[in-house]
Amino acid sequence: MLTCENGPVRLLIVEDDKALGAVLRRGLVDESYAVDLVGTVAGAEEAVAINQYDAVVLDLGLPDGDGAQLCRAWRDRGLTVPVLMLTARSSLNDKVGGLDSGADDFLSKPFDFPELTARLRALLRRPAELLATVLRVGDLELDPARCQVCQGEVVIPVTAKELAVLAMLMRHNGKVVSKTDLLEHCWDEHYDGLSNVVEVHIASLRRKLERPGQPAPIETLRGSGYRFVAFSGVSS
């Protein structure tokens, strides 16, 4: 069985499609995860109140509520468990909305099981750089230990994956970071490089970092990658 520092890797699947839920649970158990399966918001709330999970696979559409609202409620209560959101919606705005609710990643239905497991491995892996010292670029400060980003006196809410992406860009302040480098650094070495997951996380970060009268400090260089450009100051 897969283990972490505190014991077996335990997952919660929140999926109201009984057939899909059973397939996911069986497949993940075969991959040596410990897996609990529920099909409602109420069931998910009860499960997280009783158990400590290493990650949650959360369907967006549930019979007694909305997965995005549930994720937002968890984040408001300070629950930091990584969340992989399942959605039948494929537009960029829908995906960004899911990330804004506090999800760390998304997966559009239908999907291949190997992609699900690749994304879970990525969520369960904490990049070593997240244990580093506080980063400061211009008026932006990123504290890995507290999983917190501040712009001046304002705290910017970010997910674990957004934190990892932003940290890499800030560490390479002024330099171009390719999409491939971001995928390999912040996700998993077997992750599907054709996915637009990087673009979605960049779009979400831009929305969160924009200020009136100023563009977000993340530039896109077509065919090359992304670059963090500080308003002022020097990286530490």
Side-chain angles (χ1 to χ4, degrees), residues 39-111:
T40 63
V41 168
E45 288 281 42
E46 181 178 1
V48 299
I50 297 173
N51 304 303
Q52 183 173 349
Y53 293 100
D54 297 291
V56 177
V57 179
L58 176 62
D59 189 20
L60 186 61
L62 296 168
D64 59 340
D66 179 80
Q69 293 178 358
L70 175 60
C71 186
R72 185 174 290 109
W74 284 346
R75 297 313 189 215
D76 289 343
R77 297 204 304 264
L79 187 66
T80 59
V81 60
V83 173
L84 171 60
M85 188 170 288
L86 302 181
T87 174
R89 307 167 191 172
S90 59
S91 75
L92 180 62
N93 287 338
D94 287 327
K95 293 172 181 177
V96 170
L99 295 176
D100 283 346
S101 74
D104 296 279
D105 199 0
F106 62 88
L107 186 57
S108 298
K109 298 179 181 180
F111 54 84

Side-chain angles (χ1 to χ4, degrees), residues 2 12 30 52 106 152 212 215 233:
L2 293 174
L12 174 64
D30 288 344
Q52 183 173 349
F106 62 88

Side-chain angles (χ1 to χ4, degrees), residues 83-184:
V83 173
L84 171 60
M85 188 170 288
L86 302 181
T87 174
R89 307 167 191 172
S90 59
S91 75
L92 180 62
N93 287 338
D94 287 327
K95 293 172 181 177
V96 170
L99 295 176
D100 283 346
S101 74
D104 296 279
D105 199 0
F106 62 88
L107 186 57
S108 298
K109 298 179 181 180
F111 54 84
D112 293 324
F113 186 75
E115 183 176 9
L116 174 75
T117 56
R119 290 173 186 261
L120 283 173
R121 287 195 302 270
L123 287 181
L124 292 166
R125 185 185 67 179
R126 282 184 65 87
E129 289 80 356
L130 289 186
L131 301 178
T133 56
V134 175
L135 296 172
R136 296 182 181 86
V137 180
D139 65 351
L140 198 68
E141 178 178 291
L142 186 152
D143 186 339
R146 298 172 64 189
C147 295
Q148 186 177 82
V149 175
C150 295
Q151 199 168 50
E153 300 297 321
V154 179
V155 176
I156 308 296
V158 295
T159 68
K161 281 300 168 191
E162 289 172 347
L163 190 79
V165 170
L166 184 59
M168 187 172 184
L169 292 174
M170 289 176 68
R171 286 190 177 90
H172 295 81
N173 180 34
K175 299 179 181 179
V176 178
V177 179
S178 71
K179 176 181 176 179
T180 299
D181 286 341
L182 286 171
L183 281 170
E184 292 179 350

Side-chain angles (χ1 to χ4, degrees), residues 136-140 151 166 168-177 206 209 211 214-221 225-235:
R136 296 182 181 86
V137 180
D139 65 351
L140 198 68
Q151 199 168 50
L166 184 59
M168 187 172 184
L169 292 174
M170 289 176 68
R171 286 190 177 90
H172 295 81
N173 180 34
K175 299 179 181 179
V176 178
V177 179
R206 282 197 178 111
L209 297 176
R211 297 188 303 185
Q214 289 184 313
I218 300 175
E219 295 181 343
T220 298
L221 289 85
Y226 305 94
R227 179 169 57 197
F228 190 92
V229 180
F231 294 119
S232 62
V234 180
S235 174

